[in-house]
């Protein structure tokens, strides 16, 4: 058996992981004392889910109602996380809204469109339900 074959792995390289984390607006949470590893992972998963939903909605037939609903889902998901074990402070709230801005910045660059209406709708949806 060839030893080099045994060393080959389909796993992401450290360079890939660094590149992926560079686009993560919640990456600072990973080392926060008041945020557990589980809370960070759940927050990151929710961010990624919201990002995919927004990009899909904007690529399809975007409506204010759908984008607002995605914002509500984001806000409600963080309500659940906060209810389980409160951890979201003022700076974290800002990070969560910055993450929504990051999604729309990415969408504007990718789609080459002005998406101020979507940004407002997404944030309005999250604000309408958030308890954090």
């Amino acid at each position: 058996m060839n030893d080099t074959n045994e060393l080959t792995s389909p796993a992401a390289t450290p360079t890939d992981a660094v590149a992926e984390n560079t686009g993560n607006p919640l990456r600072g949470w990973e080392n926060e004392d008041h945020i557990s590893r589980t809370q960070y992972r759940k927050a990151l998963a929710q961010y990624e889910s919201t990002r995919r939903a927004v990009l899909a909605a904007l690529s399809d037939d975007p409506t204010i109602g759908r984008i607002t609903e995605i914002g509500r889902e984001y806000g409600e998901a963080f309500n659940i996380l906060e209810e389980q074990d409160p951890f979201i402070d003022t700076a974290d709230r800002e990070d969560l809204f910055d993450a929504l801005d990051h999604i729309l910045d990415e969408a504007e660059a990718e789609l080459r469109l002005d998406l101020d209406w979507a940004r407002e709708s997404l944030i309005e949806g999250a604000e309408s339900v958030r308890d954090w």
Side-chain angles (χ1 to χ4, degrees), residues 58-81:
L58 292 173
S59 295
D60 193 24
D61 185 23
T63 65
I64 289 174
R66 178 63 187 127
I67 300 301
T68 303
E69 180 59 28
I70 293 169
R72 277 193 292 270
E73 292 167 1
Y74 180 85
E76 289 169 351
F78 282 98
N79 286 346
I80 291 168
L81 274 175

PDB file of all heavy atoms in Angstrom, residues 58-81:
ATOM      1  N   LEU A  58     -33.641  35.797  -2.662  1.00  0.00           N
ATOM      2  CA  LEU A  58     -33.283  36.909  -3.540  1.00  0.00           C
ATOM      3  C   LEU A  58     -32.958  36.439  -4.955  1.00  0.00           C
ATOM      4  O   LEU A  58     -33.117  37.194  -5.910  1.00  0.00           O
ATOM      5  CB  LEU A  58     -32.100  37.691  -2.964  1.00  0.00           C
ATOM      6  CG  LEU A  58     -32.402  38.470  -1.686  1.00  0.00           C
ATOM      7  CD1 LEU A  58     -31.118  39.052  -1.109  1.00  0.00           C
ATOM      8  CD2 LEU A  58     -33.434  39.568  -1.942  1.00  0.00           C
ATOM      9  N   SER A  59     -32.514  35.211  -5.091  1.00  0.00           N
ATOM     10  CA  SER A  59     -32.196  34.663  -6.411  1.00  0.00           C
ATOM     11  C   SER A  59     -33.443  34.200  -7.138  1.00  0.00           C
ATOM     12  O   SER A  59     -33.447  34.078  -8.361  1.00  0.00           O
ATOM     13  CB  SER A  59     -31.222  33.496  -6.278  1.00  0.00           C
ATOM     14  OG  SER A  59     -30.000  33.950  -5.766  1.00  0.00           O
ATOM     15  N   ASP A  60     -34.489  33.926  -6.395  1.00  0.00           N
ATOM     16  CA  ASP A  60     -35.732  33.418  -6.963  1.00  0.00           C
ATOM     17  C   ASP A  60     -36.623  34.608  -7.303  1.00  0.00           C
ATOM     18  O   ASP A  60     -36.275  35.429  -8.128  1.00  0.00           O
ATOM     19  CB  ASP A  60     -36.384  32.468  -5.955  1.00  0.00           C
ATOM     20  CG  ASP A  60     -37.515  31.652  -6.546  1.00  0.00           C
ATOM     21  OD1 ASP A  60     -37.521  31.466  -7.777  1.00  0.00           O
ATOM     22  OD2 ASP A  60     -38.380  31.207  -5.773  1.00  0.00           O
ATOM     23  N   ASP A  61     -37.755  34.715  -6.679  1.00  0.00           N
ATOM     24  CA  ASP A  61     -38.701  35.808  -6.898  1.00  0.00           C
ATOM     25  C   ASP A  61     -38.869  36.534  -5.567  1.00  0.00           C
ATOM     26  O   ASP A  61     -39.794  36.236  -4.805  1.00  0.00           O
ATOM     27  CB  ASP A  61     -40.032  35.241  -7.399  1.00  0.00           C
ATOM     28  CG  ASP A  61     -41.020  36.326  -7.765  1.00  0.00           C
ATOM     29  OD1 ASP A  61     -40.590  37.455  -8.050  1.00  0.00           O
ATOM     30  OD2 ASP A  61     -42.238  36.042  -7.744  1.00  0.00           O
ATOM     31  N   PRO A  62     -37.961  37.461  -5.262  1.00  0.00           N
ATOM     32  CA  PRO A  62     -37.966  38.069  -3.929  1.00  0.00           C
ATOM     33  C   PRO A  62     -39.187  38.937  -3.656  1.00  0.00           C
ATOM     34  O   PRO A  62     -39.639  39.684  -4.509  1.00  0.00           O
ATOM     35  CB  PRO A  62     -36.694  38.915  -3.926  1.00  0.00           C
ATOM     36  CG  PRO A  62     -36.411  39.206  -5.352  1.00  0.00           C
ATOM     37  CD  PRO A  62     -36.947  38.032  -6.126  1.00  0.00           C
ATOM     38  N   THR A  63     -39.704  38.780  -2.434  1.00  0.00           N
ATOM     39  CA  THR A  63     -40.803  39.638  -1.989  1.00  0.00           C
ATOM     40  C   THR A  63     -40.454  40.169  -0.603  1.00  0.00           C
ATOM     41  O   THR A  63     -39.718  39.532   0.146  1.00  0.00           O
ATOM     42  CB  THR A  63     -42.138  38.861  -1.894  1.00  0.00           C
ATOM     43  OG1 THR A  63     -42.018  37.862  -0.879  1.00  0.00           O
ATOM     44  CG2 THR A  63     -42.515  38.230  -3.225  1.00  0.00           C
ATOM     45  N   ILE A  64     -40.992  41.323  -0.300  1.00  0.00           N
ATOM     46  CA  ILE A  64     -40.771  41.911   1.021  1.00  0.00           C
ATOM     47  C   ILE A  64     -41.274  40.953   2.096  1.00  0.00           C
ATOM     48  O   ILE A  64     -40.617  40.744   3.114  1.00  0.00           O
ATOM     49  CB  ILE A  64     -41.458  43.292   1.122  1.00  0.00           C
ATOM     50  CG1 ILE A  64     -40.712  44.298   0.252  1.00  0.00           C
ATOM     51  CG2 ILE A  64     -41.541  43.759   2.565  1.00  0.00           C
ATOM     52  CD1 ILE A  64     -41.372  45.662   0.147  1.00  0.00           C
ATOM     53  N   GLY A  65     -42.433  40.340   1.854  1.00  0.00           N
ATOM     54  CA  GLY A  65     -43.007  39.422   2.839  1.00  0.00           C
ATOM     55  C   GLY A  65     -42.097  38.250   3.140  1.00  0.00           C
ATOM     56  O   GLY A  65     -41.939  37.868   4.305  1.00  0.00           O
ATOM     57  N   ARG A  66     -41.493  37.656   2.128  1.00  0.00           N
ATOM     58  CA  ARG A  66     -40.619  36.490   2.350  1.00  0.00           C
ATOM     59  C   ARG A  66     -39.358  36.899   3.107  1.00  0.00           C
ATOM     60  O   ARG A  66     -38.931  36.203   4.027  1.00  0.00           O
ATOM     61  CB  ARG A  66     -40.248  35.821   1.019  1.00  0.00           C
ATOM     62  CG  ARG A  66     -39.303  34.655   1.192  1.00  0.00           C
ATOM     63  CD  ARG A  66     -39.924  33.523   2.024  1.00  0.00           C
ATOM     64  NE  ARG A  66     -38.941  32.498   2.315  1.00  0.00           N
ATOM     65  CZ  ARG A  66     -38.672  32.043   3.535  1.00  0.00           C
ATOM     66  NH1 ARG A  66     -39.329  32.479   4.587  1.00  0.00           N
ATOM     67  NH2 ARG A  66     -37.757  31.129   3.715  1.00  0.00           N
ATOM     68  N   ILE A  67     -38.758  38.018   2.749  1.00  0.00           N
ATOM     69  CA  ILE A  67     -37.545  38.474   3.420  1.00  0.00           C
ATOM     70  C   ILE A  67     -37.854  38.842   4.873  1.00  0.00           C
ATOM     71  O   ILE A  67     -37.086  38.513   5.790  1.00  0.00           O
ATOM     72  CB  ILE A  67     -36.901  39.662   2.666  1.00  0.00           C
ATOM     73  CG1 ILE A  67     -36.521  39.256   1.228  1.00  0.00           C
ATOM     74  CG2 ILE A  67     -35.693  40.197   3.418  1.00  0.00           C
ATOM     75  CD1 ILE A  67     -35.546  38.115   1.112  1.00  0.00           C
ATOM     76  N   THR A  68     -38.996  39.476   5.108  1.00  0.00           N
ATOM     77  CA  THR A  68     -39.410  39.810   6.471  1.00  0.00           C
ATOM     78  C   THR A  68     -39.603  38.531   7.284  1.00  0.00           C
ATOM     79  O   THR A  68     -39.195  38.457   8.455  1.00  0.00           O
ATOM     80  CB  THR A  68     -40.700  40.650   6.469  1.00  0.00           C
ATOM     81  OG1 THR A  68     -40.477  41.830   5.691  1.00  0.00           O
ATOM     82  CG2 THR A  68     -41.128  41.036   7.868  1.00  0.00           C
ATOM     83  N   GLU A  69     -40.202  37.521   6.686  1.00  0.00           N
ATOM     84  CA  GLU A  69     -40.414  36.240   7.367  1.00  0.00           C
ATOM     85  C   GLU A  69     -39.078  35.590   7.733  1.00  0.00           C
ATOM     86  O   GLU A  69     -38.928  35.042   8.832  1.00  0.00           O
ATOM     87  CB  GLU A  69     -41.242  35.289   6.497  1.00  0.00           C
ATOM     88  CG  GLU A  69     -41.498  33.940   7.122  1.00  0.00           C
ATOM     89  CD  GLU A  69     -42.239  33.997   8.459  1.00  0.00           C
ATOM     90  OE1 GLU A  69     -43.014  34.946   8.690  1.00  0.00           O
ATOM     91  OE2 GLU A  69     -42.034  33.093   9.288  1.00  0.00           O
ATOM     92  N   ILE A  70     -38.097  35.658   6.857  1.00  0.00           N
ATOM     93  CA  ILE A  70     -36.773  35.103   7.164  1.00  0.00           C
ATOM     94  C   ILE A  70     -36.178  35.844   8.365  1.00  0.00           C
ATOM     95  O   ILE A  70     -35.586  35.238   9.248  1.00  0.00           O
ATOM     96  CB  ILE A  70     -35.842  35.179   5.933  1.00  0.00           C
ATOM     97  CG1 ILE A  70     -36.348  34.257   4.821  1.00  0.00           C
ATOM     98  CG2 ILE A  70     -34.410  34.825   6.319  1.00  0.00           C
ATOM     99  CD1 ILE A  70     -35.668  34.451   3.475  1.00  0.00           C
ATOM    100  N   GLY A  71     -36.370  37.149   8.410  1.00  0.00           N
ATOM    101  CA  GLY A  71     -35.908  37.931   9.556  1.00  0.00           C
ATOM    102  C   GLY A  71     -36.593  37.508  10.842  1.00  0.00           C
ATOM    103  O   GLY A  71     -35.949  37.391  11.896  1.00  0.00           O
ATOM    104  N   ARG A  72     -37.910  37.255  10.767  1.00  0.00           N
ATOM    105  CA  ARG A  72     -38.647  36.779  11.950  1.00  0.00           C
ATOM    106  C   ARG A  72     -38.114  35.423  12.417  1.00  0.00           C
ATOM    107  O   ARG A  72     -37.931  35.193  13.615  1.00  0.00           O
ATOM    108  CB  ARG A  72     -40.146  36.679  11.653  1.00  0.00           C
ATOM    109  CG  ARG A  72     -40.890  37.988  11.804  1.00  0.00           C
ATOM    110  CD  ARG A  72     -42.389  37.795  11.825  1.00  0.00           C
ATOM    111  NE  ARG A  72     -42.917  37.346  10.547  1.00  0.00           N
ATOM    112  CZ  ARG A  72     -43.322  38.158   9.572  1.00  0.00           C
ATOM    113  NH1 ARG A  72     -43.265  39.460   9.732  1.00  0.00           N
ATOM    114  NH2 ARG A  72     -43.793  37.677   8.462  1.00  0.00           N
ATOM    115  N   GLU A  73     -37.863  34.543  11.476  1.00  0.00           N
ATOM    116  CA  GLU A  73     -37.337  33.219  11.817  1.00  0.00           C
ATOM    117  C   GLU A  73     -35.979  33.340  12.513  1.00  0.00           C
ATOM    118  O   GLU A  73     -35.700  32.629  13.480  1.00  0.00           O
ATOM    119  CB  GLU A  73     -37.212  32.357  10.557  1.00  0.00           C
ATOM    120  CG  GLU A  73     -38.558  31.977   9.966  1.00  0.00           C
ATOM    121  CD  GLU A  73     -38.461  31.402   8.559  1.00  0.00           C
ATOM    122  OE1 GLU A  73     -37.328  31.277   8.013  1.00  0.00           O
ATOM    123  OE2 GLU A  73     -39.517  31.095   7.979  1.00  0.00           O
ATOM    124  N   TYR A  74     -35.148  34.253  12.045  1.00  0.00           N
ATOM    125  CA  TYR A  74     -33.836  34.517  12.653  1.00  0.00           C
ATOM    126  C   TYR A  74     -34.025  35.016  14.090  1.00  0.00           C
ATOM    127  O   TYR A  74     -33.409  34.494  15.021  1.00  0.00           O
ATOM    128  CB  TYR A  74     -33.128  35.550  11.786  1.00  0.00           C
ATOM    129  CG  TYR A  74     -31.750  35.997  12.210  1.00  0.00           C
ATOM    130  CD1 TYR A  74     -30.621  35.269  11.841  1.00  0.00           C
ATOM    131  CD2 TYR A  74     -31.559  37.196  12.895  1.00  0.00           C
ATOM    132  CE1 TYR A  74     -29.345  35.711  12.172  1.00  0.00           C
ATOM    133  CE2 TYR A  74     -30.292  37.643  13.223  1.00  0.00           C
ATOM    134  CZ  TYR A  74     -29.188  36.898  12.856  1.00  0.00           C
ATOM    135  OH  TYR A  74     -27.930  37.356  13.168  1.00  0.00           O
ATOM    136  N   GLY A  75     -34.890  36.003  14.258  1.00  0.00           N
ATOM    137  CA  GLY A  75     -35.150  36.549  15.584  1.00  0.00           C
ATOM    138  C   GLY A  75     -35.695  35.506  16.536  1.00  0.00           C
ATOM    139  O   GLY A  75     -35.274  35.411  17.698  1.00  0.00           O
ATOM    140  N   GLU A  76     -36.633  34.691  16.053  1.00  0.00           N
ATOM    141  CA  GLU A  76     -37.224  33.650  16.896  1.00  0.00           C
ATOM    142  C   GLU A  76     -36.209  32.578  17.270  1.00  0.00           C
ATOM    143  O   GLU A  76     -36.225  32.067  18.397  1.00  0.00           O
ATOM    144  CB  GLU A  76     -38.433  33.035  16.185  1.00  0.00           C
ATOM    145  CG  GLU A  76     -39.607  33.990  16.130  1.00  0.00           C
ATOM    146  CD  GLU A  76     -40.735  33.543  15.203  1.00  0.00           C
ATOM    147  OE1 GLU A  76     -40.555  32.553  14.449  1.00  0.00           O
ATOM    148  OE2 GLU A  76     -41.783  34.200  15.227  1.00  0.00           O
ATOM    149  N   ALA A  77     -35.333  32.242  16.352  1.00  0.00           N
ATOM    150  CA  ALA A  77     -34.303  31.234  16.659  1.00  0.00           C
ATOM    151  C   ALA A  77     -33.392  31.717  17.779  1.00  0.00           C
ATOM    152  O   ALA A  77     -33.050  30.944  18.688  1.00  0.00           O
ATOM    153  CB  ALA A  77     -33.486  30.923  15.406  1.00  0.00           C
ATOM    154  N   PHE A  78     -33.042  32.991  17.750  1.00  0.00           N
ATOM    155  CA  PHE A  78     -32.192  33.515  18.819  1.00  0.00           C
ATOM    156  C   PHE A  78     -32.981  33.722  20.109  1.00  0.00           C
ATOM    157  O   PHE A  78     -32.403  33.646  21.201  1.00  0.00           O
ATOM    158  CB  PHE A  78     -31.440  34.766  18.371  1.00  0.00           C
ATOM    159  CG  PHE A  78     -30.259  34.410  17.502  1.00  0.00           C
ATOM    160  CD1 PHE A  78     -30.344  34.465  16.122  1.00  0.00           C
ATOM    161  CD2 PHE A  78     -29.080  33.967  18.074  1.00  0.00           C
ATOM    162  CE1 PHE A  78     -29.268  34.104  15.322  1.00  0.00           C
ATOM    163  CE2 PHE A  78     -27.992  33.596  17.294  1.00  0.00           C
ATOM    164  CZ  PHE A  78     -28.088  33.659  15.912  1.00  0.00           C
ATOM    165  N   ASN A  79     -34.297  33.936  20.016  1.00  0.00           N
ATOM    166  CA  ASN A  79     -35.127  33.957  21.228  1.00  0.00           C
ATOM    167  C   ASN A  79     -35.027  32.612  21.946  1.00  0.00           C
ATOM    168  O   ASN A  79     -34.894  32.554  23.172  1.00  0.00           O
ATOM    169  CB  ASN A  79     -36.594  34.231  20.892  1.00  0.00           C
ATOM    170  CG  ASN A  79     -36.868  35.659  20.522  1.00  0.00           C
ATOM    171  OD1 ASN A  79     -36.060  36.549  20.744  1.00  0.00           O
ATOM    172  ND2 ASN A  79     -38.025  35.893  19.929  1.00  0.00           N
ATOM    173  N   ILE A  80     -35.108  31.531  21.182  1.00  0.00           N
ATOM    174  CA  ILE A  80     -35.040  30.184  21.760  1.00  0.00           C
ATOM    175  C   ILE A  80     -33.683  29.951  22.410  1.00  0.00           C
ATOM    176  O   ILE A  80     -33.601  29.453  23.530  1.00  0.00           O
ATOM    177  CB  ILE A  80     -35.348  29.120  20.685  1.00  0.00           C
ATOM    178  CG1 ILE A  80     -36.823  29.205  20.273  1.00  0.00           C
ATOM    179  CG2 ILE A  80     -34.997  27.717  21.189  1.00  0.00           C
ATOM    180  CD1 ILE A  80     -37.175  28.417  19.030  1.00  0.00           C
ATOM    181  N   LEU A  81     -32.618  30.330  21.715  1.00  0.00           N
ATOM    182  CA  LEU A  81     -31.279  30.177  22.290  1.00  0.00           C
ATOM    183  C   LEU A  81     -31.136  30.972  23.585  1.00  0.00           C
ATOM    184  O   LEU A  81     -30.567  30.493  24.565  1.00  0.00           O
ATOM    185  CB  LEU A  81     -30.209  30.663  21.305  1.00  0.00           C
ATOM    186  CG  LEU A  81     -29.704  29.679  20.277  1.00  0.00           C
ATOM    187  CD1 LEU A  81     -28.744  30.364  19.317  1.00  0.00           C
ATOM    188  CD2 LEU A  81     -29.028  28.504  20.943  1.00  0.00           C
TER     189      LEU A  81
END
